[in-house]
Amino acid sequence: METDGETNQESGKLESLDVPFPSAREASIALRSLSPDREPRKGGITKHLTVAGSTLSRWSADEARILRVSVNSFLDHLKLVLETMEMFGPPVDL
Amino acid sequence: MTVVIGFEGSANKIGIGIIRDGEVLSNPRRTYITPPGQGFMPSDTARHHRAVILTVLKEALEQAGLKPADIDCVAYTKGPGMGAPLVTVALVARTVAQLWGKPLLGVNHCIGHIEMGRLITKANNPTVLYVSGGNTQVIAYSERRYRIFGETIDIAVGNCLDRFARVIKISNDPSPGYNIEQMAKKGSQYVELPYTVKGMDVSFSGILSYIEEAANKMLSSGQCTAEDLCFSLQETVFSMLVEITERAMAHCGSQEVLIVGGVGCNLRLQEMMGVMCQERGAKLFATDERFCIDNGAMIAQAGWEMFRSGQVTELEDSWITQRYRTDEVEVTWRD
């Protein structure tokens, strides 16, 4: 997995985190697994997941420490989804 | 023929089970056990689950002798429970549901316990006592809802027992409650503790504060042993549970009691409930530790019922929730 990010140290913004996938279908599966749950913290964090082709992108903007927690959780969750896809994939034909 | 796989991980147990038309084909489980004196925290528990869940999933399929294509529905715990562990399990359930092209079903954890109890014991329409580390409720079915007749107004009875176990630093292996039960058998002195039944409900946080303080004072002065305190705590809290169960039975005119949840493994609780049932001419039902304690098959069983009555959870609606009342679910599979 490669990640590509820009960070703004002063206000704690992460503009984008791009994750490449082998196919659009697998990027879409990851998106639909990762997007339903709400962020545990009520205020001060916004997370946005989208898929463009076979890349899953994520923006979040906020205080550095809240950002750190949110991004760390996201990466743990992403890793789990990727491992699941590796062990039980490829997706069946619809 | 309907085959459902169920994923459970709302507390420190991670279990995945497969059920085919009322038959449990596999039900592997792992428990995250902390050192004596320590409870389990959400992020550590989630980390434990993440590390083992795919292995447990493989075991569930292998032990059942099935391939993903044989599964009809993927059920998982939507709630209630601890946030991070719930998310971990839901992520895998959602991913495999999509990989395998199967429908997804979010299940209420409490209803999982009830449906497994009904399946295993064949109880007809019991008053249910659901007692675990996270929940304490008296439930009866009426008109498409599992209605909560009585419950704890603060902490669960299992939480009270588990936190007391930490104070006296006994092992959490296999579970603090089990070790309290063994020590209680060796207790000989009854130490009077507060008895807090409030109508149909119960309260345990006051008893916990009291016994934590009593433990510090009485154990150091040698007035009683830790075994005596374990014994006294069990006798007190279990009597309270028997009382509110009996009250619900009287309201409903019920002649059956079903105990579910991890604390339901406790043989002393079963014994005391049995005495009350006998006095009323009622029948007591309970399951063993395979199904009392959180497990995947119970989620699969509730999922089986829900799926066959036409329910499905769309991915966008599959978010987990830490609070999920038992009576929020429409029980479409019963009249």
Side-chain angles (χ1 to χ4, degrees):
Chain A
M1 186 195 98
E2 297 169 66
T3 60
D4 193 78
E6 283 176 21
T7 54
N8 181 333
Q9 289 298 334
E10 282 174 327
S11 60
K13 266 190 200 159
L14 178 60
E15 297 293 338
S16 73
L17 187 79
D18 295 337
V19 183
F21 282 81
S23 71
R25 173 98 185 276
E26 271 144 319
S28 163
I29 289 176
L31 175 77
R32 298 185 80 196
S33 290
L34 290 160
S35 49
D37 301 306
R38 293 149 194 167
E39 282 291 300
R41 196 191 164 99
K42 291 282 148 66
I45 186 83
T46 49
K47 184 178 92 181
H48 199 64
L49 290 169
T50 55
V51 165
S54 56
T55 303
L56 174 72
S57 304
R58 175 181 183 274
W59 288 259
S60 57
D62 214 2
E63 267 183 67
R65 62 180 176 90
I66 306 173
L67 184 66
R68 229 178 5 246
V69 170
S70 178
V71 173
N72 278 333
S73 291
F74 176 75
L75 290 174
D76 286 334
H77 295 162
L78 177 65
K79 177 166 178 264
L80 181 61
V81 170
L82 292 171
E83 283 171 345
T84 308
M85 287 167 70
E86 203 164 333
M87 198 178 274
F88 293 96
V92 296
D93 296 321
L94 288 174
Chain B
M1 198 173 67
T2 306
V3 180
V4 180
I5 187 166
F7 289 71
E8 157 55 33
S10 56
N12 65 333
K13 278 76 72 184
I14 167 97
I16 299 174
I18 301 180
I19 291 217
R20 178 180 60 207
D21 296 333
E23 194 190 339
V24 179
L25 301 180
S26 63
N27 201 14
R29 172 175 68 206
R30 298 279 194 286
T31 307
Y32 171 51
I33 298 176
T34 43
Q38 289 181 34
F40 53 90
M41 302 292 275
S43 54
D44 301 325
T45 308
R47 189 173 305 123
H48 166 270
H49 291 357
R50 280 199 299 273
V52 301
I53 186 171
L54 296 179
T55 308
V56 177
L57 175 52
K58 275 190 121 184
E59 273 176 28
L61 289 165
E62 277 163 20
Q63 287 169 18
L66 294 179
K67 297 180 307 300
D70 304 320
I71 309 268
D72 294 304
C73 171
V74 176
Y76 69 100
T77 306
K78 185 177 174 69
M82 300 171 89
L86 282 169
V87 170
T88 295
V89 175
L91 284 173
V92 175
R94 290 178 199 133
T95 305
V96 296
Q98 293 178 83
L99 289 172
W100 302 342
K102 306 291 176 184
L104 192 63
L105 247 180
V107 173
N108 178 300
H109 178 91
C110 316
I111 294 190
H113 276 291
I114 296 172
E115 292 304 331
M116 200 63 193
R118 287 180 64 225
L119 174 72
I120 297 292
T121 66
K122 311 261 180 284
N124 182 33
N125 191 20
T127 301
V128 179
L129 175 66
Y130 170 33
V131 275
S132 69
N135 293 280
T136 294
Q137 298 171 13
V138 177
I139 295 156
Y141 173 76
S142 172
E143 289 184 32
R144 303 234 149 175
R145 297 273 160 163
Y146 283 116
R147 317 253 169 204
I148 302 173
F149 273 71
E151 60 187 317
T152 175
I153 61 174
D154 41 59
I155 60 175
V157 62
N159 192 235
C160 181
L161 293 165
D162 292 351
R163 285 161 70 177
F164 175 63
R166 285 185 233 161
V167 168
I168 57 174
K169 295 240 180 353
I170 62 178
S171 170
N172 291 321
D173 188 1
S175 76
Y178 177 83
N179 292 325
I180 289 180
E181 183 177 359
Q182 304 319 306
M183 285 179 71
K185 291 177 189 170
K186 299 186 227 144
S188 51
Q189 194 194 148
Y190 174 68
V191 176
E192 186 149 357
L193 302 170
Y195 182 92
T196 40
V197 169
K198 317 251 177 192
M200 302 288 295
D201 296 325
V202 283
S203 163
F204 296 109
S205 59
I207 301 177
L208 178 62
S209 316
Y210 187 95
I211 198 174
E212 280 174 342
E213 207 189 298
N216 289 327
K217 274 202 300 239
M218 294 175 85
L219 292 180
S220 50
S221 69
Q223 275 178 270
C224 70
T225 64
E227 286 79 356
D228 295 331
L229 289 174
C230 289
F231 166 69
S232 308
L233 181 58
Q234 283 198 166
E235 295 301 298
T236 307
V237 299
F238 293 165
S239 298
M240 290 163 56
L241 296 173
V242 171
E243 181 180 334
I244 62 165
T245 307
E246 185 169 15
R247 194 155 285 132
M249 287 168 80
H251 271 280
C252 303
S254 165
Q255 286 298 94
E256 289 176 320
V257 173
L258 170 64
I259 309 180
V260 299
V263 181
C265 292
N266 190 302
L267 296 176
R268 180 57 187 145
L269 173 60
Q270 290 182 26
E271 189 182 22
M272 290 168 76
M273 194 69 75
V275 168
M276 179 274 283
C277 284
Q278 198 170 38
E279 288 171 359
R280 296 182 68 87
K283 203 157 181 262
L284 174 63
F285 297 90
T287 60
D288 63 48
E289 57 81 38
R290 289 171 297 165
F291 304 112
C292 262
I293 298 178
D294 290 346
N295 63 93
M298 74 185 195
I299 302 301
Q301 176 58 18
W304 186 93
E305 295 277 23
M306 292 168 75
F307 183 60
R308 297 208 2 153
S309 70
Q311 292 197 44
V312 146
T313 305
E314 296 303 322
L315 274 159
E316 304 74 55
D317 304 325
S318 69
W319 36 267
I320 60 93
T321 174
Q322 292 186 228
R323 299 203 189 293
Y324 192 8
R325 301 280 292 166
T326 314
D327 50 18
E328 273 183 58
V329 176
E330 203 193 335
V331 182
T332 52
W333 56 97
R334 292 180 69 173
D335 309 305

